[in-house]
Amino acid sequence: MDLREVFATNLRRLRHAKGLSQDDLAYEAEISRSYLSQIEKGAFFASLRIVGKLATALDVEPVELLKSPPKRGRQR
């Protein structure tokens, strides 16, 4: 999974956990909903400024948007 996919996955997860629609998050982060949608699809790269705006709107540290998901171990 590349960093853009990691970011998109974390962004969607955190947005859903906060109960926000794309419209709500876009408004809070002061970006367009269509741009947010493209970021969540992994189609667009997000600048550091946008990462900061989204983190602030989601009330998380920016690193939370960039963390790789934990590796799943084998089930015994």
Side-chain angles (χ1 to χ4, degrees):
M1 187 180 297
D2 74 6
L3 191 55
R4 188 170 24 176
E5 291 174 33
V6 168
F7 184 82
T9 299
N10 287 332
L11 181 57
R12 280 190 309 273
R13 178 180 53 78
L14 291 166
R15 179 174 61 78
H16 286 287
K18 298 282 183 175
L20 296 171
S21 68
Q22 284 185 343
D23 285 329
D24 294 336
L25 179 56
Y27 178 80
E28 292 296 322
E30 298 178 337
I31 62 174
S32 75
R33 195 220 35 92
S34 62
Y35 182 57
L36 176 61
S37 174
Q38 294 301 313
I39 293 172
E40 283 194 358
K41 290 178 189 174
F44 287 0
F45 288 100
S47 69
L48 291 175
R49 185 173 69 94
I50 298 300
V51 172
K53 284 183 158 197
L54 291 167
T56 298
L58 290 166
D59 195 29
V60 298
E61 291 297 319
V63 70
E64 294 301 317
L65 292 164
L66 301 170
K67 282 185 180 178
S68 293
K71 298 197 187 261
R72 294 182 183 183
R74 291 186 188 187
Q75 303 226 349
R76 295 179 186 193

